[in-house]
Amino acid sequence: MAAGDSGGLGGYDFRYLPQKTFQCLSTPETTSRLRQWSMLGRIQAQAFGFDQNFQAHRKDDFVMAFFKDPNVIANLKLLSDSSGQWITLGTEVKKIEAINIPCTQISMSFFNRLYSEDIVRDSGHIVKCFDSFCDPFLISDELRKVLLVEDSEKYAIFSQPDREEFLFCLFKHLCLGGALCQYEDVLNPYLETTKLLYKDLVSVRKIPQTKKIQITSSVFKVTAYVSMRGSLQPMNLITCY
């Protein structure tokens, strides 16, 4: 979601921004990779503007206002579990749970440890291992093992705070893919696609005094509940401000 001008202290108003496109999801190379990873058509990004400054201590109010806004209800796309098709929200959300996702990493060197820890060879090829299962995933290389198997020898090369970072979450999501994923033998396609997504979804600024890059986005994992057949049904989304 994109920020708008500052407003008063009342409720937020949102507007759909269909003209805002996310090129990371539409380039031929990315489209080809997502198809190979069984993810094409199962990832979507949309932009909405709003009329006030975001205040971190009011994040729950902000998220709830987002899902109750008529422009959001009429335009927000969700992937239906039952049909596998994208549908509009179409109804007011009754309850939300919003979890902050840390978003501090500014360099893909975050993943260099995959080389130094022999998860990936210097050539970029991912090291293979004996097949095992971590339901529902087949583990046949050291990369998926370090992503999924908590008691594996090298799982600790990424700490728990590392694994909570938005950059890591995107990378893991792409590496594991969809139900019919055809996995890569080399690391670079995963890194390149993660970088494109991250740059398109996250905003940065340069601090004048230090010339350092700082991320200005906030990221939330949101579970939104709608009333369906007399009970509350959850929907999971990632929201970037």
Side-chain angles (χ1 to χ4, degrees):
M1 291 178 286
D5 297 328
S6 61
L9 297 176
Y12 292 94
D13 287 318
F14 295 85
R15 63 191 184 279
Y16 180 42
L17 304 175
Q19 72 277 12
K20 165 64 178 175
T21 59
F22 296 85
Q23 295 184 354
C24 60
L25 295 176
S26 59
T27 65
E29 189 169 33
T30 300
T31 299
S32 175
R33 288 171 179 169
L34 292 177
R35 181 180 293 109
Q36 178 180 334
W37 302 335
S38 189
M39 301 177 77
L40 186 64
R42 300 188 64 82
I43 297 178
Q44 187 164 141
Q46 293 177 273
F48 292 82
F50 53 94
D51 64 342
Q52 297 186 43
N53 286 332
F54 172 75
Q55 300 175 52
H57 69 278
R58 293 185 60 203
K59 74 172 176 62
D60 288 343
D61 293 336
F62 173 81
V63 174
M64 181 57 86
F66 174 73
F67 283 104
K68 285 182 174 292
D69 191 279
N71 288 317
V72 174
I73 292 172
N75 292 287
L76 182 65
K77 298 291 186 182
L78 303 169
L79 189 63
S80 170
D81 289 335
S82 57
S83 68
Q85 302 297 313
W86 288 96
I87 59 174
T88 55
L89 175 59
T91 187
E92 188 175 289
V93 165
K94 302 299 183 182
K95 173 185 172 184
I96 60 99
E97 295 171 356
I99 300 172
N100 284 300
I101 302 297
C103 188
T104 65
Q105 297 298 320
I106 58 172
S107 172
M108 297 301 289
S109 62
F110 179 75
F111 297 106
N112 285 354
R113 68 197 83 179
L114 294 173
Y115 292 91
S116 60
E117 295 290 339
D118 297 323
I119 307 299
V120 179
R121 303 190 192 283
D122 290 342
S123 64
H125 285 79
I126 301 166
V127 176
K128 301 296 182 182
C129 66
F130 290 114
D131 287 352
S132 61
F133 283 92
C134 183
D135 192 47
F137 299 100
L138 171 66
I139 309 294
S140 58
D141 60 49
E142 294 293 335
L143 177 59
R144 273 172 280 169
K145 186 186 292 186
V146 84
L147 292 176
L148 290 170
V149 184
E150 294 186 19
D151 60 357
S152 63
E153 180 183 355
K154 296 180 180 178
Y155 186 85
I157 69 170
F158 290 102
S159 67
Q160 189 56 39
D162 288 338
R163 291 172 181 273
E164 293 170 358
E165 281 282 339
F166 187 44
L167 182 63
F168 184 91
C169 293
L170 284 175
F171 176 74
K172 180 179 178 180
H173 192 51
L174 295 175
C175 290
L176 298 180
L180 302 175
C181 180
Q182 301 175 55
Y183 295 106
E184 300 286 347
D185 292 321
V186 294
L187 184 65
N188 201 51
Y190 296 131
L191 292 179
E192 286 183 350
T193 310
T194 299
K195 183 178 180 178
L196 288 172
L197 281 168
Y198 197 63
K199 287 181 67 176
D200 227 2
L201 293 174
V202 172
S203 299
V204 299
R205 67 166 182 164
K206 182 179 287 187
I207 301 173
Q209 295 85 349
T210 64
K211 306 301 182 183
K212 291 184 177 180
I213 299 298
Q214 179 186 57
I215 292 175
T216 59
S217 296
S218 296
V219 181
F220 311 108
K221 180 180 179 181
V222 179
T223 303
Y225 295 85
V226 298
S227 181
M228 190 178 299
R229 294 187 293 274
S231 63
L232 294 181
Q233 302 295 322
M235 305 173 298
N236 293 315
L237 306 98
I238 295 292
T239 302
C240 300
Y241 153 66

